Amino acid sequence: MTGDRANAVPNSISSTVQKRLVLRQATEEEYMLLGAAKDVLDVTSPPGRGIIDGNEVQLAILGASSNLAVQSAQGRALGEPTDRRS
């Protein structure tokens, strides 16, 4: 499940989550609400950078852009060679 802010997922559900990937947040307070260090990510962190289990991680971003339209187009492009073989 995903959420675009700290309280997007109800407490009754979020309390059962054992692992949490925290991506860049708008404010330091949101990191604290999510139980993540507030000094790891900042506005200069690249798209897809996150924190899991106290470790900084990088997720693959298709098309090197956080723009969903760009990522969607890149995803379709990845599937084209497979479609041609079918």
Side-chain angles (χ1 to χ4, degrees):
M1 75 195 97
T2 64
D4 61 352
R5 61 189 181 284
N7 295 322
V9 178
N11 286 336
S12 59
I13 296 172
S14 66
S15 64
T16 64
V17 174
Q18 295 178 1
K19 276 201 188 280
R20 182 172 293 161
L21 169 65
V22 178
L23 298 174
R24 189 174 59 207
Q25 300 294 303
T27 67
E28 290 183 354
E29 292 77 28
E30 290 178 290
Y31 292 108
M32 293 184 344
L33 287 170
L34 293 167
K38 64 180 182 177
D39 61 347
V40 176
L41 304 176
D42 60 28
V43 295
T44 64
S45 298
R49 185 67 50 97
I51 304 167
I52 189 167
D53 292 338
N55 297 306
E56 191 171 354
V57 298
Q58 179 67 46
L59 303 179
I61 301 294
L62 296 173
S65 172
S66 59
N67 181 294
L68 293 178
V70 172
Q71 289 185 36
S72 180
Q74 291 293 318
R76 283 191 301 277
L78 282 174
E80 286 176 3
T82 304
D83 292 342
R84 283 188 226 131
R85 284 188 271 157
S86 300

